[in-house]
């Protein structure tokens, strides 16, 4: 991997992908490793991407002076890279927080810049403020696209009629969040944009299945869109088993209090729904929901007085880590691994795949199930999609995941994590009619929040723990 020394002798690494005119790419984040950009959706077929790992991230070194992480100090790293490459003038592409050092570099060295491409930038670094009207004009077309894709009470509406109706119902909101924060447009699509849970989960497995083991970064392996030019791993077909599951009747979330009514889902509907965050589409994420959850925790004496079978707590743990830091693994966060390992230790679990009977897992996007199967110790790295594709996580599989339908069926924010715990308890209690029973003797409840930084889990059983 090529590298060079910065002005303070910190070693900085960069990656070269593709052929053609060089294009220097800076990651957002802040402090995200450049691997999160992958090949920029195929741009490497037309340009030679020079992907810089900023200091303290990816393969670059950690500076002795932490103050050099400041965005105005990162300008010198960009200029050092230009000199190292021997380029008179450079083309720069960046997004999000990476726009700050890129803009500051262009202001300090305008004669060295040939072009600058900014994706979702903040312009505060150079004193440019976006007005509410600026943001509204930029966001309104996206809102129209999302509204058009919805099944709006079965009516055929024009773009203007649909958008007007959504605005009237309070679905499209363009507002300022607090006096010191820049205005940020938000769009909450109609709940009927959210569709059934089965294809959502398997589309996630499909995205994971189509990417090679050598894809750039672990985020790339699990989250980047499946495209025809990407070769599938050995033994995996492009739609292997997916179409069969799409055509089958839904098995989850059939109870009205646990799910939103949705039209029949097909793979084509998922693939044609509006893009939320490439490659995740609106039909692959959670619905907007209301709900609540209550549980009673007691001791052995209290359990003995209960008129219903109790769920016995065999282990519980919480872990957290910063939202952003150098080397953070966004696909399999260390805090999640540590939390799961602690619960397994308390419950004397040595083989989670064989000793746990069901999992209520926090899966807000279709791609998350394979990720968390690996993070929680049910599968090795890169193998989570195989469990999903093989039907292991179906209701009648060896390891049922989200018998309740999970977050993809209903997601009352604030209560969702606790609901995962309660649903795990209902599984081992085996109460008829309360949820789809899997006959589980031990079930894991899993919740996370923030920027994949807060984790909580417990393992409950039908029988009391020993001792």
């Amino acid at each position: 991997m090529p590298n060079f020394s910065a002005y303070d002798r910190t070693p900085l690494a960069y990656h070269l992908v593709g052929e053609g005119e060089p294009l220097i790419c800076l990651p957002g984040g802040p402090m995200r490793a450049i691997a999160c950009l992958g090949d920029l959706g195929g741009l490497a077929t037309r340009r030679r991407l020079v992907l810089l790992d900023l200091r303290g991230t990816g393969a670059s070194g950690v500076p002795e002076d932490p103050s050099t992480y400041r965005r105005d100090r990162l300008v010198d790293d960009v200029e050092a890279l230009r000199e190292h490459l021997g380029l008179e003038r450079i083309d720069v592409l960046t997004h999000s927080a990476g726009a700050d050092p890129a803009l500051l570099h262009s202001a300090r060295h305008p004669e060295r810049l040939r072009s600058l491409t900014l994706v979702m930038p903040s312009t505060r670094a150079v004193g440019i403020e976006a007005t509410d009207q600026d943001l509204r004009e930029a966001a309104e077309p996206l809102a129209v696209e999302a509204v058009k894709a919805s099944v709006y009470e079965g009516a055929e509406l024009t773009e203007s009629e649909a958008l007007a109706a959504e605005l009237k119902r309070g679905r499209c909101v363009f507002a300022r969040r607090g006096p010191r924060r820049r205005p940020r447009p938000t769009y909450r699509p109609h709940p009927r944009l959210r569709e059934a849970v089965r294809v959502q989960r398997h589309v996630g497995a499909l995205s994971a299945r189509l990417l090679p083991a050598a894809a750039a970064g672990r985020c790339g392996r699990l989250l980047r869109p499946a495209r025809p030019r990407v070769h599938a791993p050995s033994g995996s077909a492009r739609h292997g088993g997916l179409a069969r599951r799409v055509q089958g009747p839904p098995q989850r979330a059939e109870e009205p209090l646990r799910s939103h009514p949705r039209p029949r889902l097909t793979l084509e509907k998922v693939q044609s729904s509006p893009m939320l965050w490439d490659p995740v589409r609106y039909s692959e994420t959670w619905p907007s929901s209301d709900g609540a959850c209550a549980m009673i925790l007691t001791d052995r004496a209290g359990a003995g007085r209960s008129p219903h079978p109790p769920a016995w707590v065999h282990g519980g743990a919480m872990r957290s880590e910063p939202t952003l830091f150098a080397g953070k693994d966004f696909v399999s966060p260390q805090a999640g691994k540590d939390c799961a390992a602690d619960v397994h230790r308390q419950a004397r679990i040595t083989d989670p795949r064989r000793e746990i009977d069901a999992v209520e897992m926090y899966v807000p996007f279709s791609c998350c199930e394979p990720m968390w199967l690996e993070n929680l110790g049910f599968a090795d790295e890169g193998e989570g999609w195989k469990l999903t594709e093989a039907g292991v996580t179906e209701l009648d599989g060896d390891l049922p995941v989200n018998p309740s339908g999970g977050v993809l069926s209903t997601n009352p924010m604030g209560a969702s994590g606790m609901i995962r715990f309660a649903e795990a308890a209902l599984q081992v209690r085996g109460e008829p009619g309360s949820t789809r029973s899997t006959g589980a003797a031990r079930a894991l409840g899993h919740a996370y929040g923030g920027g994949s930084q807060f984790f909580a889990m417990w393992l409950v059983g039908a029988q009391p723990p020993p001792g």
Side-chain angles (χ1 to χ4, degrees):
M1 181 182 304
N3 59 78
F4 63 100
S5 293
Y7 62 92
D8 61 351
R9 297 185 179 180
T10 299
L12 302 180
Y14 61 97
H15 313 258
L16 298 174
V17 182
E19 299 294 336
E21 284 289 315
L23 174 64
I24 293 178
C25 304
L26 307 180
M31 300 305 293
R32 293 287 299 272
I34 195 68
C36 67
L37 298 183
D39 67 352
L40 289 170
L43 185 58
T45 61
R46 299 185 296 275
R47 298 293 296 267
R48 185 173 181 81
L49 306 184
V50 183
L51 305 166
L52 175 64
D53 275 327
L54 299 177
R55 54 181 56 219
T57 70
S60 289
V62 176
E64 294 182 2
D65 181 3
S67 70
T68 61
Y69 285 122
R70 282 177 11 198
R71 59 189 180 184
D72 58 323
R73 303 286 290 274
L74 295 177
V75 170
D76 295 325
D77 291 345
V78 178
E79 181 62 12
L81 174 60
R82 183 197 65 78
E83 294 177 351
H84 168 73
L85 296 174
L87 299 175
E88 185 67 22
R89 302 175 70 197
I90 56 176
D91 298 317
V92 178
L93 180 147
T94 185
H95 77 108
S96 188
D100 286 351
L103 284 167
L104 291 171
H105 177 268
S106 67
R108 192 179 301 176
H109 304 283
E111 74 285 356
R112 299 302 186 188
L113 185 68
R114 185 166 65 180
S115 70
L116 176 60
T117 303
L118 304 176
V119 181
M120 298 180 65
S122 166
T123 55
R124 282 185 165 184
V126 290
I128 301 174
E129 288 287 348
T131 67
D132 288 340
Q133 183 61 27
D134 293 333
L135 294 174
R136 185 182 183 90
E137 291 176 357
E140 189 166 301
L142 300 178
V144 170
E145 180 187 4
V147 172
K148 285 176 63 180
S150 66
V151 184
Y152 201 86
E153 303 299 335
E156 292 293 333
L157 303 179
T158 65
E159 292 182 13
S160 58
E161 290 172 338
L163 182 58
E166 289 289 89
L167 286 168
K168 184 176 180 180
R169 295 165 71 103
R171 299 294 182 182
C172 298
V173 181
F174 304 89
R176 188 180 295 273
R177 298 184 181 180
R180 294 192 177 184
R181 298 186 64 179
R182 65 185 175 92
R184 180 173 297 175
T186 61
Y187 174 69
R188 294 192 293 271
H190 191 281
R192 292 187 67 182
L193 276 171
R194 320 301 188 178
E195 298 168 334
V197 64
R198 293 177 58 77
V199 166
Q200 292 168 327
R201 296 172 61 251
H202 291 293
V203 167
L206 179 65
S207 296
R209 184 172 71 248
L210 290 177
L211 294 168
R218 300 192 57 214
C219 279
R221 190 190 73 248
L222 285 170
L223 297 179
R224 289 187 55 234
R227 293 188 172 93
R229 69 173 184 278
V230 181
H231 296 290
S234 176
S236 62
R238 179 172 176 78
H239 294 289
L242 178 60
R244 182 178 67 254
R245 293 192 176 92
V246 172
Q247 299 302 324
Q251 296 186 31
R252 290 175 172 78
E254 293 182 350
E255 300 163 36
L257 296 181
R258 278 183 166 77
S259 64
H260 292 259
R262 298 180 176 90
R264 182 82 174 175
L265 183 66
T266 65
L267 177 60
E268 290 73 22
K269 287 183 179 180
V270 173
Q271 293 175 327
S272 63
S273 64
M275 189 67 70
L276 176 64
W277 188 301
D278 193 1
V280 178
R281 296 179 177 274
Y282 276 112
S283 295
E284 299 178 75
T285 186
W286 69 88
S288 298
S289 313
D290 288 327
C293 180
M295 292 189 293
I296 297 175
L297 301 180
T298 185
D299 56 13
R300 287 177 181 258
R305 297 191 297 270
S306 172
H308 304 289
W312 296 89
V313 180
H314 288 225
M318 297 178 64
R319 291 292 189 277
S320 64
E321 64 182 41
T323 307
L324 296 168
F325 61 88
K328 179 181 173 78
D329 189 336
F330 287 88
V331 174
S332 187
Q334 188 62 43
K337 292 180 180 179
D338 293 345
C339 189
D342 192 4
V343 172
H344 296 160
R345 178 188 58 78
Q346 295 175 42
R348 303 180 183 180
I349 297 292
T350 58
D351 186 352
R353 171 74 175 79
R354 303 300 176 190
E355 298 178 65
I356 295 176
D357 304 309
V359 185
E360 276 292 332
M361 183 186 294
Y362 201 106
V363 178
F365 302 101
S366 63
C367 52
C368 289
E369 182 181 299
M371 290 166 48
W372 296 139
L373 286 170
E374 298 173 14
N375 186 252
L376 302 180
F378 294 106
D380 293 333
E381 182 179 322
E383 301 292 311
W385 68 268
K386 294 181 179 179
L387 298 187
T388 301
E389 174 61 23
V392 171
T393 60
E394 295 293 337
L395 283 168
D396 56 357
D398 295 337
L399 182 68
V401 172
N402 292 330
S404 66
V407 174
L408 286 172
S409 291
T410 182
N411 186 33
M413 298 296 288
S416 289
M418 187 173 174
I419 290 173
R420 306 279 70 73
F421 281 37
E423 292 287 2
L426 288 174
Q427 284 300 313
V428 299
R429 290 175 65 173
E431 295 186 24
S434 62
T435 188
R436 280 185 164 273
S437 177
T438 59
R442 287 191 284 192
L444 179 73
H446 163 265
Y448 80 97
S452 295
Q453 63 182 127
F454 304 116
F455 293 85
M457 303 173 207
W458 78 356
L459 191 138
V460 290
Q463 300 298 322

